[in-house]
């Protein structure tokens, strides 16, 4: 179990390596946390730096460097951290990973392996590579250092009652829950086509789910991490499901109304906010916009089409 003390220790460790991203009030009582401005375009460097720096401190960082498996964002974070720290990195991604993410991984100097159609297949291939090379494995979401590092985001939030977090493997929501404790309500927003935490809470343990969502490139884990699940149960995290249409609409709305470009996974949290506010009183709300590794061309085209049709 990761606790607030470990999150605070992670914040000290990664200070100077990650950005303190801003939160802005876009409507009375509604803030968005612009974590999309983080290095590499998502929140993931927080955990990646914490994992690698902790290994270096303990003398456990091998000359072979690091290996990661990712739908894209975790790999980008590991590649960025490795480049900053001057160590080799290999990243395994599914063949369906967005081209913009694969291109950026290579620009950061990582060796990229494209394997399988889902994160789980890329993950399996990465574990074989770790056994071959002895490299340090940096998990996308289910290691204590990763969860604690992601949780440092919560230490930067404004004074709110509720925070909404897009959730796939659960590293971010698990870390935020650990950091927040009973200070605020934490809502995990998941695609209906990839309900990892939702299914785990219903079953009483992490279970595999089918993955079929427009946000699968960043929220496409087959099961929630054990650490995230335990943190969610301990701190009473609520799971909320949003369908793909709501995610797409939320992404378009963020652009049309606020000129904020996010990836579909990040838009899921904003879609959850719209559903939450329509259904009851949740006080002051912060929505974590956790990533922007997307091609904005399709967003602009879609928005122009919507406007021309009066949507």
């Amino acid at each position: 179990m990761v606790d607030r003390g470990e999150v605070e220790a992670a914040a000290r460790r990664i200070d100077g390596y990650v950005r303190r991203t801003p939160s802005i009030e876009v409507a009375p009582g509604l803030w968005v946390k612009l974590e999309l401005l983080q290095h590499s375009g998502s929140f993931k460097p927080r955990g990646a730096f914490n994992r690698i720096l902790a290994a270096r401190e303990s003398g456990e960082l091998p000359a072979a460097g690091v290996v990661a498996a990712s739908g894209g964002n975790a790999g980008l974070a590991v590649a960025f951290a490795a480049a900053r720290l001057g160590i080799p990195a290999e990243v395994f991604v599914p063949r369906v990973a967005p081209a913009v993410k694969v291109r950026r991984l290579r620009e950061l100097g990582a060796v990229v392996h494209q394997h399988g159609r889902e994160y789980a297949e890329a993950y399996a291939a990465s574990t074989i590579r770790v056994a071959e090379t002895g490299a340090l494995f940096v998990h996308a979401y289910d290691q204590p250092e990763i969860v604690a590092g992601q949780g440092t985001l919560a230490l930067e939030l404004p004074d709110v009652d509720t925070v909404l977090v897009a959730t796939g493997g659960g590293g971010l929501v698990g870390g935020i829950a650990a950091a927040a404790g009973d200070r605020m309500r934490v809502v995990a927003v998941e695609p209906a086509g990839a309900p990892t935490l939702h299914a785990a809470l219903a079953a009483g343990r992490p279970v595999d789910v089918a993955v079929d969502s427009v946000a699968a490139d960043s929220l496409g884990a087959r099961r929630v991490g054990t650490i995230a699940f335990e943190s969610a149960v301990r701190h009473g995290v609520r799971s909320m499901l949003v369908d793909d249409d709501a995610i797409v609409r939320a992404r378009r709305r963020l652009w049309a109304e606020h000129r904020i470009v996010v990836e579909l996974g990040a838009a899921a949290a904003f879609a959850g906010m719209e559903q939450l506010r329509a259904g009851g009183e949740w006080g002051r709300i912060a929505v974590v916009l956790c990533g922007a590794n997307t091609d904005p061309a399709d967003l602009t085209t879609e928005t122009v089409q919507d406007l021309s049709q009066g949507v």
Side-chain angles (χ1 to χ4, degrees):
M1 179 65 68
V2 172
D3 60 25
R4 185 178 174 89
E6 290 170 274
V7 175
E8 291 173 340
R12 292 189 293 271
R13 182 177 291 120
I14 66 178
D15 184 37
Y17 291 98
V18 301
R19 293 172 176 152
R20 183 181 180 93
T21 57
S23 298
I24 60 173
E25 192 172 12
V26 295
L30 174 62
W31 282 262
V32 290
K33 170 68 165 167
L34 298 180
E35 189 63 11
L36 56 97
L37 299 177
Q38 189 55 258
H39 295 300
S40 79
S42 84
F43 68 94
K44 294 283 190 175
R46 296 173 182 271
F49 272 113
N50 193 46
R51 167 71 170 150
I52 297 170
L53 289 169
R56 190 171 72 177
E57 288 174 8
S58 64
E60 297 174 358
L61 183 61
V66 295
V67 168
S70 168
N73 284 342
L76 286 168
V78 170
F80 177 85
R84 173 75 184 274
L85 298 172
I87 60 176
E90 294 185 53
V91 179
F92 288 73
V93 299
R95 288 193 296 270
V96 296
V100 64
K101 294 185 180 182
V102 174
R103 182 171 63 251
R104 184 58 180 150
L105 281 168
R106 291 182 172 132
E107 290 171 352
L108 287 167
V111 175
V112 182
H113 306 274
Q114 293 183 267
H115 188 89
R117 290 191 55 81
E118 295 181 10
Y119 164 77
E121 294 171 284
Y123 173 85
S126 72
T127 60
I128 295 172
R129 185 62 176 162
V130 168
E132 292 171 346
T133 66
L136 179 76
F137 185 60
V138 182
H139 200 284
Y141 53 85
D142 201 24
Q143 288 172 328
E145 301 92 341
I146 295 294
V147 175
Q150 316 305 29
T152 61
L153 183 153
L155 305 180
E156 303 171 8
L157 290 172
D159 183 18
V160 296
D161 303 297
T162 305
V163 57
L164 283 83
V165 188
T167 300
L172 181 58
V173 75
I176 287 177
D182 60 359
R183 295 170 176 83
M184 66 184 77
R185 291 168 292 198
V186 180
V187 179
V189 185
E190 305 173 76
T196 54
L197 180 59
H198 190 84
L201 292 173
R205 58 184 175 83
V207 294
D208 285 345
V209 301
V211 176
D212 182 15
S213 170
V214 295
D217 67 302
S218 55
L219 302 180
R222 285 187 187 173
R223 72 163 58 195
V224 73
T226 300
I227 299 170
F229 173 72
E230 292 175 352
S231 184
V233 171
R234 180 177 183 180
H235 299 292
V237 173
R238 171 183 170 178
S239 167
M240 172 185 292
L241 302 183
V242 291
D243 62 32
D244 280 357
D245 287 344
I247 292 172
V248 171
R249 287 195 304 271
R251 179 172 179 254
R252 295 175 184 174
R253 182 180 171 191
L254 279 164
W255 169 248
E257 297 183 8
H258 305 295
R259 285 300 186 260
I260 298 173
V261 179
V262 299
E263 60 191 76
L264 287 160
F270 200 75
M273 177 277 301
E274 294 175 323
Q275 182 175 312
L276 195 69
R277 288 190 121 191
E281 175 58 49
W282 287 79
R284 297 160 298 177
I285 296 174
V287 180
V288 179
L289 299 182
C290 58
N293 289 309
T294 187
D295 184 352
D298 62 347
L299 175 62
T300 304
T301 301
E302 291 167 356
T303 303
V304 169
Q305 290 173 345
D306 287 346
L307 292 173
S308 67
Q309 297 167 7
V311 175

